[in-house]
Amino acid sequence: MKLTDSVQFLKGVGPKSVENFHKLGIFTVQDLLLYFPFRYEDFAGRSVLELLDGEKATIIGKVVTPANVQYYGFKRNRLSFKIKQDEAVVAVSFFNQPYLADKVEVGQEIAVYGKWERAKQQLLGVKVVGQLDPAVDATSSARLEPVYHLTAGMKQSTLVKVIQQVFDSGLLAELSENLPEFLLTKYRLMGRQEAVRAMHFPEDMAAHKQALRRVKFEELFMFQLKLQALKHKEKSGRAGLQVEFDEREVEDKIFELPFELTGAQKRALDEILVDMKSSYHMNRLLQGDVGSGKTVVASLAMYAACLANFQAAIMVPTEILARQHYANLRQLFPELKISLLVSGLKAAQRRDILADLASGHTHMVVGTHALIQDGVDFYNLGLVITDEQHRFGVNQRKILREKGQNPDVLMMTATPIPRTLAITAFGDMDVSIIDELPKGRQPITTRWVKHEQFSEVLAWIKKELSQGAQDDSTPQVYFVSPLIEESEALDLKNAEALYSELTDYFGLFAQIGLLHGKMKNDEKDQIMQDFKAKKLDILVSTTVIEVGVDVPNATIMVIMDADRFGLSQLHQLRGRVGRGSKKSYTILVANPKSDSGKQRMKIMCETQNGFVLAEEDLKMRGSGEIFGVRQSGLPEFIAADLVNDYNILEVARQEAVEIFKHADDFKALIAQVSVDGGFD
Ligand code: ADP
Ligand code: MG
């Protein structure tokens, strides 16, 4: 028998159970060996003195009375005997297992697993774990039994037996070491065979810990190796576009901007332009906190592509954001033909836009998901940008990319990605970071108030509005409500109700607008324009304004039922203010019921640092939940955990990078990681 043989050749595995094994992803004997338990039943002997009432444990002691079986009723019986552990005498009872009497012999050591009943000083036996030769140290029977995830119709004991069979057959000897020797030595890792054995049947918890450490390292190292392989393939293999443009023209454009770029913006732009100019295929993530000014960097990169006679496209998650970018680009580049492609256009209009894109008349296009539909063809797409990339799935980004001939790719994210995820999900990309806000920004003050205090908030805003009116510095205010339709069940203040409440309250003091997802495109457009043009003082909105929206004069953000939002969403919403030089405020209105809700409100008040918030979010929600990582195609880890095993992850990454520096010496190792699929 070989490791690559199907599990169906193992004893006790019939056609029915083969199906069950397949459901668990176990096809070969090797798969079975690598199917690790998720916990262990602890059958190590314990002292009765330390057991809590009701606790399940194994106790080891010397049998002091013969087994006595008492029958009562139909087929019911109880076996009892006494054992002595140090000075304690303990009663042991088993129900309906009379045959165990054979195992109980006065004078012998016995290990019994069961439930401790403290008041009666009695162990309610579940099973006899072992009978011991009194000559041997009692602790030698200490053992941990593996517990595996199962599917319906499968039994723990069957799985354990089948795995035991594989170990008994000696097949483990054929499992080859897949980590380089020097790493095993350097990090004092268990060998692979030893680790696999100790994962299933550890001698003790210490051995299990060592095995787990090795298995986690292996998992994360192989993953990082694969990311490195992908990165190197990108760099060497498929040549990217060489975009020839005149830097001086870009410089001139920068000079025309109404502000000076921050150092971080300049650095990021340089990195992007170098990539574009080289024949290397750009695959870059531009990461920068809300309000750090990513848009202008992206716009200049698009400009460079156009200078080299390529088309550039930027895809954004919401129509409001698309319109905003469109207006920006038109203002920055009046000499270029720029199109806006969103859904709900009139047929003729859409036809014209598509024709101009296909013929190359259009230089730049801004769009929503409408960009990736069939029938949208480009003449020569040279640069593809996704803004708020985490809002798109892997496939959507891929479709856009494939509308060009291997165009340069830039992904932008306003949601900072925790270090942990940045080096995993995006380990195959180059990263530029804008870690500096434009000059003159002030910290945003964040307050958490209860619903009972809402009227005070309103009074304060009224005061701010009327004071501002006198010196013409009227602040603009967002009110965000989570839902648009009344939902009694959720008890949310909906946007419409809030709108009418505020209209009543402010009366002539304020012009108020309402924005929600169900409005028609031109209505949304009109409202946003009015707000930007300061025709409105207050904008009541659902979360459609969550990402990207940029109205620098708005300085107050009120979030209703704030505890219903996750941290990253709250951070995004807060990022709608504090975009100019004026002092800004965020008010969280919430009566959270859960501890985690309270926790989120507190964290929001304590920090404005997006990275800190993202790390907190990751801790609270787990890596699978956050930032669309599910969609990013991140593999599932069996033993490792991205949050808790960050240290191992970092080491694994460094080692993988080192391996690729000496790739010729590690050909066999590198060949183990297939790079056909990739993660994106
Ligand atoms: P984000 O990174 O969140 O997408 P934006 O690109 O929307 O941020 O920029 C936020 C605001 O800051 C915009 O109003 C933009 O015009 C302004 N801005 C960008 N860069 C600078 C700068 N270097 N100096 C001053 N203001 C800037
Ligand atoms: Mg943005």
Side-chain angles (χ1 to χ4, degrees):
M1 200 145 160
K2 295 193 303 288
L3 285 174
T4 49
D5 283 345
S6 160
V7 282
Q8 78 187 66
F9 300 121
L10 291 168
K11 246 180 277 152
V13 181
K16 186 90 201 147
S17 41
V18 163
E19 264 173 50
N20 284 334
F21 277 105
H22 288 183
K23 274 190 210 144
L24 295 174
I26 302 170
F27 295 88
T28 65
V29 176
Q30 173 154 334
D31 294 339
L32 187 63
L33 273 178
L34 300 180
Y35 190 76
F36 299 135
F38 68 97
R39 68 178 181 89
Y40 302 85
E41 205 76 78
D42 191 353
F43 291 121
R46 301 269 304 275
S47 160
V48 291
L49 301 176
E50 67 183 33
L51 290 183
L52 303 174
D53 188 39
E55 193 178 354
K56 282 189 173 167
T58 298
I59 58 178
I60 299 168
K62 191 183 267 182
V63 180
V64 288
T65 66
N68 168 34
V69 184
Q70 219 181 339
Y71 288 86
Y72 49 98
F74 180 63
K75 276 192 176 172
R76 296 201 307 182
N77 58 73
R78 168 190 185 146
L79 177 152
S80 38
F81 57 95
K82 289 197 167 132
I83 61 175
K84 191 161 179 249
Q85 185 189 61
D86 299 327
E87 295 312 306
V89 175
V90 172
V92 179
S93 306
F94 280 95
F95 285 100
N96 309 322
Q97 299 181 64
Y99 45 86
L100 288 178
D102 294 346
K103 297 193 171 184
V104 181
E105 210 171 295
V106 175
Q108 204 185 30
E109 290 264 357
I110 191 168
V112 182
Y113 175 76
K115 185 171 159 192
W116 180 240
E117 295 184 329
R118 188 171 191 157
K120 294 187 198 157
Q121 287 287 296
Q122 163 175 283
L123 190 73
L124 212 53
V126 175
K127 65 190 208 171
V128 173
V129 184
Q131 300 137 281
L132 313 175
D133 185 333
V136 182
D137 178 6
T139 54
S140 69
S141 79
R143 57 183 243 206
L144 297 165
E145 245 183 50
V147 183
Y148 300 89
H149 285 298
L150 301 172
T151 81
M154 209 174 195
K155 275 171 53 188
Q156 284 295 346
S157 55
T158 321
L159 190 55
V160 173
K161 262 187 216 144
V162 175
I163 292 175
Q164 187 67 59
Q165 191 189 136
V166 178
F167 278 102
D168 292 346
S169 71
L171 272 176
L172 182 64
E174 286 176 27
L175 189 70
S176 54
E177 182 55 68
N178 55 354
L179 291 178
E181 191 62 41
F182 82 93
L183 286 180
L184 297 182
T185 317
K186 186 169 173 186
Y187 298 107
R188 279 180 250 139
L189 297 173
M190 246 184 202
R192 194 177 190 201
Q193 292 176 9
E194 192 189 351
V196 167
R197 184 184 290 280
M199 284 300 288
H200 292 283
F201 305 113
E203 283 289 320
D204 50 32
M205 276 325 264
H208 168 251
K209 263 206 166 120
Q210 285 303 315
L212 192 61
R213 200 170 141 261
R214 138 90 208 204
V215 168
K216 284 178 173 179
F217 181 86
E218 176 186 323
E219 205 165 44
L220 294 171
F221 175 73
M222 289 299 168
F223 171 59
Q224 290 297 337
L225 212 54
K226 181 162 178 169
L227 287 178
Q228 290 303 316
L230 275 171
K231 194 165 179 169
H232 282 256
K233 190 174 141 199
E234 284 279 358
K235 281 209 168 137
S236 57
R238 300 182 301 160
L241 293 175
Q242 205 158 341
V243 179
E244 285 300 345
F245 56 89
D246 186 346
E247 265 111 355
R248 274 170 308 183
E249 288 188 68
V250 181
E251 296 284 338
D252 289 347
K253 216 24 130 181
I254 295 175
F255 193 70
E256 284 173 27
L257 293 173
F259 45 70
E260 199 186 333
L261 291 182
T262 62
Q265 283 173 319
K266 282 185 200 151
R267 221 177 313 123
L269 181 63
D270 272 350
E271 287 165 358
I272 292 165
L273 295 183
V274 166
D275 274 5
M276 287 173 64
K277 253 208 164 151
S278 77
S279 58
Y280 160 54
H281 174 245
M282 177 165 79
N283 188 24
R284 188 171 281 279
L285 182 72
L286 176 60
Q287 186 179 302
D289 212 341
V290 275
S292 62
K294 293 179 293 295
T295 315
V296 66
V297 174
S299 308
L300 291 164
M302 290 173 84
Y303 183 58
C306 295
L307 288 175
N309 294 317
F310 282 103
Q311 290 173 299
I314 181 165
M315 179 162 71
V316 301
T318 67
E319 187 171 322
I320 289 171
L321 195 49
R323 287 178 187 277
Q324 179 181 294
H325 281 352
Y326 176 64
N328 274 336
L329 289 172
R330 296 235 309 189
Q331 200 181 2
L332 270 177
F333 312 114
E335 69 276 28
L336 298 182
K337 172 141 177 66
I338 303 170
S339 301
L340 174 70
L341 188 60
V342 292
S343 55
L345 294 175
K346 294 206 179 72
Q349 208 181 356
R350 182 178 145 89
R351 201 180 325 117
D352 288 349
I353 292 173
L354 294 188
D356 285 343
L357 275 180
S359 68
H361 266 105
T362 298
H363 301 110
M364 290 181 184
V365 61
V366 187
T368 55
H369 296 82
L371 265 182
I372 53 176
Q373 279 164 1
D374 281 344
V376 181
D377 297 312
F378 290 83
Y379 177 68
N380 63 350
L381 184 58
L383 173 66
V384 166
I385 302 181
T386 347
D387 193 8
E388 312 290 349
Q389 64 83 25
H390 60 283
R391 300 275 294 245
F392 293 96
V394 180
N395 278 334
Q396 293 171 321
R397 297 195 299 247
K398 186 160 171 242
I399 295 171
L400 180 58
R401 208 161 59 215
E402 287 176 351
K403 292 205 181 267
Q405 293 289 327
N406 202 14
D408 283 326
V409 172
L410 181 68
M411 308 214 283
M412 306 206 292
T413 182
T415 314
I417 296 162
R419 298 183 298 163
T420 341
L421 293 182
I423 67 169
T424 51
F426 301 99
D428 62 328
M429 301 187 78
D430 295 305
V431 180
S432 292
I433 298 179
I434 303 184
D435 53 3
E436 178 186 354
L437 293 178
K439 273 200 212 88
R441 296 276 175 88
Q442 298 186 48
I444 303 169
T445 297
T446 303
R447 291 270 150 75
W448 166 28
V449 303
K450 301 279 175 65
H451 282 125
E452 302 85 89
Q453 297 160 283
F454 187 50
S455 59
E456 290 165 42
V457 173
L458 292 181
W460 169 69
I461 290 174
K462 197 181 219 171
K463 201 177 94 218
E464 291 284 307
L465 287 176
S466 55
Q467 267 176 7
Q470 300 183 356
D471 56 8
D472 203 29
S473 67
T474 317
Q476 286 180 285
V477 188
Y478 291 102
F479 277 87
V480 173
S481 105
L483 270 191
I484 141 172
E485 252 121 27
E486 187 90 57
S487 160
E488 280 179 12
L490 289 172
D491 192 29
L492 290 169
K493 291 209 180 208
N494 68 61
E496 274 153 2
L498 186 61
Y499 174 73
S500 70
E501 184 184 344
L502 295 179
T503 323
D504 289 347
Y505 182 86
F506 286 102
L508 293 174
F509 274 95
Q511 288 296 322
I512 307 181
L514 173 64
L515 185 71
H516 60 72
K518 293 199 173 154
M519 289 166 89
K520 292 219 179 68
N521 289 338
D522 42 358
E523 287 174 335
K524 280 189 218 162
D525 210 19
Q526 191 60 49
I527 295 277
M528 277 318 293
Q529 274 176 26
D530 288 351
F531 192 55
K532 255 197 159 143
K534 302 191 197 175
K535 285 185 194 161
L536 297 172
D537 306 301
I538 296 178
L539 184 65
V540 178
S541 173
T542 58
T543 53
V544 289
I545 58 142
E546 179 189 334
V547 294
V549 167
D550 184 48
V551 181
N553 191 56
T555 52
I556 300 175
M557 162 65 72
V558 182
I559 307 173
M560 306 303 293
D561 290 309
D563 56 318
R564 297 195 182 270
F565 295 94
L567 276 179
S568 60
Q569 240 180 335
L570 288 170
H571 182 57
Q572 283 279 351
L573 285 170
R574 178 167 58 185
R576 297 315 109 217
V577 297
R579 303 192 139 237
S581 53
K582 286 199 232 164
K583 174 76 191 159
S584 293
Y585 301 86
T586 293
I587 314 292
L588 310 170
V589 183
N591 293 23
K593 293 203 177 63
S594 68
D595 283 344
S596 69
K598 285 179 198 144
Q599 187 76 16
R600 287 199 300 277
M601 299 305 104
K602 284 200 188 120
I603 296 171
M604 282 297 291
C605 293
E606 277 161 19
T607 183
Q608 198 187 325
N609 182 325
F611 286 90
V612 173
L613 285 165
E615 297 273 1
E616 289 293 334
D617 202 21
L618 184 63
K619 271 188 226 149
M620 290 175 78
R621 291 202 288 166
S623 54
E625 289 287 322
I626 201 174
F627 304 144
V629 170
R630 281 240 164 86
Q631 289 186 315
S632 77
L634 203 64
E636 284 201 23
F637 297 102
I638 299 165
D641 171 324
L642 291 181
V643 181
N644 297 316
D645 300 322
Y646 180 68
N647 293 335
I648 305 180
L649 179 69
E650 214 164 37
V651 171
R653 175 161 185 273
Q654 283 159 13
E655 293 297 348
V657 169
E658 281 302 311
I659 294 280
F660 269 86
K661 284 191 188 152
H662 314 281
D664 284 346
D665 301 339
F666 293 104
K667 283 197 179 116
L669 175 66
I670 291 169
Q672 286 186 52
V673 291
S674 133
V675 292
D676 299 339
F679 300 109
D680 191 359

